[in-house]
Amino acid sequence: MQTGESAPKPQRIGVPREVFPGEKRVATVPDVVAKLVKLGFEVMVEQGAGELADLSDAAYVEAGASIAPSADALWSGSDIVFKVRAPTSDEVALMHPGQTLIGFLWPAQNPELMQQLAAKKVTALSIDALPRTLSRAQKMDALTSMAGVSGYRAVVEAANAFGRFFNGQITAAGKVPPAKVFIAGAGVAGLAAIGAAASLGAIVRANDTRAEVADQVVSLGGEFVKVDYEEEGSGGGGYAKVMSEGFQAAQRAMYAQQAREVDIIITTALIPGKPAPKLITAEMVQSMKPGSVIVDMAAEQGGNCELTEPGKAVVKHGVTIVGYTDLASRMARQSSTLYGTNLFRLTEELCKTKDGVINVNMEDDAIRGLTVIKDGEITWPAPALVVAPKPAPKPAAAVSEKKGGHGHGSSGPMPVKTLTMVFGLGALAFWAIGAYAPAAFLGHFTVFVLACFIGNMVVWNVTPALHTPLMSVTNAISSIIVIGALVQIVPPESGANGRPDQLILWLAFAGIVLTAVNMFGGFAVTRRMLDMFRK
């Protein structure tokens, strides 16, 4: 820094109280405030902002924040504003040029809001527009955080509306069967619901248009129900795509069958920028058992069930249909903590200098995707990310050569020239020793060479992935047996012509054969086990 040059003034982050009806979340929590202060920022929280999430003003002050007495003071005194819900027209009116807004703005669904913010000459970062395909963006992915909370809460709401145990029980009063739960859509929210329902003891089934999530469903304790129709359902960016009419017909048939069999259905299907697809028809609801429950997590976008009423829990045809649009808000403290952490990670990317001043770098793919308005200019949608092409698959012969055969090291086979020279030098050295060394020494030396060769083949030259304690002990014992058998076949002290009697000969031969089967069979079985973990 040059003499007389002053350090930039730290920017102030403002956290207003959410005004959307029923919204209990807050954009940051005291623990995160302390981290923002360490980055050099000042933090101001509107009075009572965290009250509905059980976070007191005193806790914010203790973490290093100041308290704004009103929304007017908060918006006018902040350089950066953290929000959960998109701002209302009244809140936009309180903004000033040069201010930065970060929150869920949903630019595709709110074109009028985009125009209002642009007219205010502000910069707006929409956390829902984060490019989710970037691996380093995962720490900022608030959509995933909120979906996980919502999926868990959906199971809690289902359990509350369902009049029985989730897990099966055998009591003195009789046997209680486990509840059967079907999850439509195995994205982040669906997987969270699967894990929660399975942990409560229910029989969980799930379906998704993306076949690659089947393993994830099974790993969480669920059963993947496949649609009897072949079509790829991945739409990119972690979302599903709109499927063909043929697939949808087969899917409806499968859903109709599940509706008749299960006790609880949780739907999570959403496609960005489009109304929620209708998966559960009125006829399916009517076919369900009395007392069954449907939790429609897509209620805010119209719902996956034809009979869903957004924001309400209603009973139709004896089935409780839960259409709450504030599932994440119903776990306000947990949601606020996760969301606040996501915004903190974003702030770290915006303020890499840790001087309390953000830099909206439009050259950064993640930041460019988030930025929907820059200094009053609408920049949404962001250009499509350039995906690096997948490397061309190597020829099978090259892959086999690189692996070096079954169970051997990855250095590949020794070149023919080198191998010939090694064997030639070895034969020459062996001849020189045999010509001048005593006969007794030659016998011991032969056993030593064989032991080194076998030890190298069964231990040293094995792929490191096969080096387990059991394999090491087995190979060591097998080597000893082979060497002992070879000594018995050609012992230097045995009768005429140096040959043992027939019984010892056949026993030694059988020992060599069985040991070879054990060693090579062990390699083959272990190799097959390792191949199970390869894609």
Side-chain angles (χ1 to χ4, degrees), residues 219-281:
S219 70
L220 289 169
E223 173 194 350
F224 188 78
V225 183
K226 190 176 180 182
V227 176
D228 190 17
Y229 193 98
E230 293 298 328
E231 183 176 350
E232 173 55 41
S234 179
Y239 296 99
K241 71 174 185 180
V242 178
M243 306 301 284
S244 68
E245 183 55 41
F247 182 92
Q248 291 181 35
Q251 187 183 53
R252 283 192 294 270
M254 183 269 289
Y255 283 160
Q257 179 184 350
Q258 293 298 321
R260 290 190 296 269
E261 296 178 3
V262 302
D263 304 297
I264 296 169
I265 295 178
I266 298 176
T267 65
T268 71
L270 283 173
I271 298 173
K274 297 181 180 294
K278 299 300 180 186
L279 305 179
I280 309 298
T281 63

Side-chain angles (χ1 to χ4, degrees), residues 78-157:
S78 302
D79 303 297
I80 306 162
V81 176
F82 285 178
K83 268 191 64 62
V84 179
R85 296 274 186 171
T88 63
S89 298
D90 291 339
E91 288 177 317
V92 172
L94 297 174
M95 298 187 73
H96 54 80
Q99 203 167 32
T100 300
L101 173 67
I102 304 175
F104 284 109
L105 304 180
W106 305 105
Q109 290 86 353
N110 295 308
E112 292 182 7
L113 175 62
M114 293 297 100
Q115 296 296 333
Q116 292 173 2
L117 292 172
K120 280 289 186 176
K121 304 295 182 184
V122 301
T123 295
L125 277 67
S126 186
I127 199 70
D128 50 272
L130 179 74
R132 303 173 80 184
T133 53
L134 295 174
S135 58
R136 70 182 186 86
Q138 293 177 2
K139 61 185 178 181
M140 302 178 272
D141 190 357
L143 278 175
T144 294
S145 298
M146 297 303 100
V149 175
S150 298
Y152 178 89
R153 183 68 189 196
V155 174
V156 174
E157 295 294 341

Side-chain angles (χ1 to χ4, degrees), residues 54-389:
D54 299 322
L55 299 166
S56 66
D57 291 344
Y60 282 107
V61 172
E62 187 176 350
S66 59
I67 302 298
S70 65
D72 232 344
L74 185 289
W75 286 90
S76 61
S78 302
D79 303 297
I80 306 162
V81 176
F82 285 178
K83 268 191 64 62
V84 179
R85 296 274 186 171
T88 63
S89 298
D90 291 339
E91 288 177 317
V92 172
L94 297 174
M95 298 187 73
H96 54 80
Q99 203 167 32
T100 300
L101 173 67
I102 304 175
F104 284 109
L105 304 180
W106 305 105
Q109 290 86 353
N110 295 308
E112 292 182 7
L113 175 62
M114 293 297 100
Q115 296 296 333
Q116 292 173 2
L117 292 172
K120 280 289 186 176
K121 304 295 182 184
V122 301
T123 295
L125 277 67
S126 186
I127 199 70
D128 50 272
L130 179 74
R132 303 173 80 184
T133 53
L134 295 174
S135 58
R136 70 182 186 86
Q138 293 177 2
K139 61 185 178 181
M140 302 178 272
D141 190 357
L143 278 175
T144 294
S145 298
M146 297 303 100
V149 175
S150 298
Y152 178 89
R153 183 68 189 196
V155 174
V156 174
E157 295 294 341
N160 180 58
F162 189 55
R164 293 187 0 231
F165 294 133
F166 263 48
N167 62 324
Q169 295 187 19
I170 298 177
T171 70
K175 182 179 178 181
V176 179
K180 294 180 181 178
V181 180
F182 178 69
I183 314 289
V188 176
L191 292 173
I194 292 167
S199 67
L200 287 173
I203 296 173
V204 184
R205 303 168 184 170
N207 167 262
D208 196 278
T209 57
R210 298 159 294 182
E212 65 268 19
V213 305
D215 290 340
Q216 299 174 24
V217 170
V218 174
S219 70
L220 289 169
E223 173 194 350
F224 188 78
V225 183
K226 190 176 180 182
V227 176
D228 190 17
Y229 193 98
E230 293 298 328
E231 183 176 350
E232 173 55 41
S234 179
Y239 296 99
K241 71 174 185 180
V242 178
M243 306 301 284
S244 68
E245 183 55 41
F247 182 92
Q248 291 181 35
Q251 187 183 53
R252 283 192 294 270
M254 183 269 289
Y255 283 160
Q257 179 184 350
Q258 293 298 321
R260 290 190 296 269
E261 296 178 3
V262 302
D263 304 297
I264 296 169
I265 295 178
I266 298 176
T267 65
T268 71
L270 283 173
I271 298 173
K274 297 181 180 294
K278 299 300 180 186
L279 305 179
I280 309 298
T281 63
E283 290 77 12
M284 293 180 196
V285 175
Q286 198 165 1
S287 71
M288 295 180 73
K289 292 174 283 190
S292 298
V293 178
I294 296 175
V295 180
D296 193 340
M297 295 185 61
E300 194 165 5
Q301 278 74 45
N304 296 138
C305 176
E306 286 184 348
L307 303 182
T308 296
E309 295 186 18
K312 299 178 181 179
V314 296
V315 179
K316 296 184 179 180
H317 305 297
V319 177
T320 302
I321 304 172
V322 180
Y324 297 147
T325 58
D326 60 346
L327 290 172
S329 183
R330 286 170 180 259
M331 299 183 69
R333 182 155 186 162
Q334 182 67 77
S335 300
S336 299
T337 300
L338 294 174
Y339 183 65
T341 302
N342 292 140
L343 293 192
F344 168 69
R345 295 304 180 190
L346 170 58
T347 307
E348 283 184 318
E349 293 295 316
L350 293 170
C351 182
K352 294 184 177 180
T353 54
K354 298 183 180 181
D355 58 357
V357 178
I358 65 170
N359 173 33
V360 181
N361 180 13
M362 299 294 275
E363 301 298 319
D364 185 308
D365 287 337
I367 304 304
R368 175 64 189 89
L370 285 167
T371 307
V372 295
I373 297 175
K374 181 72 164 68
D375 298 326
E377 179 183 349
I378 297 177
T379 58
W380 184 86
L385 292 177
V386 178
V387 180

